[in-house]
Amino acid sequence: MKTLYEATTQAVGGREGKVHSENSPIDFNLSVPKSMGGNGGDGANPEQLFGAAYAACFGGAIQSVAKNEGIDINNEELSITAIIGFCKDDDGFFLEATLDCYIPGVDLKTGEDLVEKAHKVCPFSKATRDNITVNLNLLLDE
């Protein structure tokens, strides 16, 4: 295994604290949403950060698969919307994720194929596989 890049990020104060990453613009406060018993302040929360990271990584995976298969996609309009659920059941808390994938200019079969293959190679998908429910949706133009 060869490590290509490492990111170092620190959280201080838990869900109502602050996060900071070395050599990056990540340096901001965290807030707990009101629906989770917090004050709903203007800080980010771990689910938003995870969703942003997963969406960006999954988009990169789609781009990589498309490039490797010679499929021309519009990288500037490719979008992934991640909806991260913070859930609770009798065993405690858990996450769930839905990825809404918009790949303009591809037909249904090509789009579904790209999304499925991206899910196999995306590092975030690999990290969550068999750990959380991930729903994949392909959004189409009308």
Side-chain angles (χ1 to χ4, degrees):
M1 178 180 84
K2 179 181 178 183
T3 301
L4 301 177
Y5 173 76
E6 288 184 335
T8 302
T9 306
Q10 181 182 46
V12 177
R15 284 184 166 269
E16 293 180 303
K18 184 175 179 124
V19 291
H20 170 76
S21 184
E22 293 179 0
N23 302 317
S24 90
I26 296 175
D27 185 12
F28 47 84
N29 295 324
L30 299 173
S31 297
V32 177
K34 287 184 179 182
S35 65
M36 292 173 63
N39 67 4
D42 62 357
N45 63 59
E47 292 71 36
Q48 291 168 325
L49 298 171
F50 178 69
Y54 199 169
C57 190
F58 199 85
I62 287 175
Q63 290 170 325
S64 177
V65 170
K67 182 178 179 182
N68 287 343
E69 297 198 0
I71 300 169
D72 187 32
I73 63 171
N74 184 336
N75 289 325
E76 291 179 9
E77 292 185 23
L78 167 69
S79 70
I80 311 300
T81 302
I83 301 107
I84 306 300
F86 183 88
C87 309
K88 182 178 181 184
D89 63 13
D90 292 339
D91 294 325
F93 301 106
F94 63 96
L95 298 175
E96 64 183 11
T98 298
L99 301 178
D100 289 339
C101 307
Y102 177 61
I103 313 168
V106 299
D107 60 62
L108 177 64
K109 183 178 179 337
T110 301
E112 288 177 340
D113 189 54
L114 288 171
V115 168
E116 287 299 321
K117 288 178 179 175
H119 190 50
K120 290 179 182 173
V121 300
C122 173
F124 277 76
S125 290
K126 288 179 179 182
T128 60
R129 193 168 337 282
D130 299 324
N131 292 310
I132 71 171
T133 298
V134 177
N135 299 298
L136 303 171
N137 296 320
L138 176 64
L139 306 180
L140 301 172
D141 289 322
E142 291 185 29

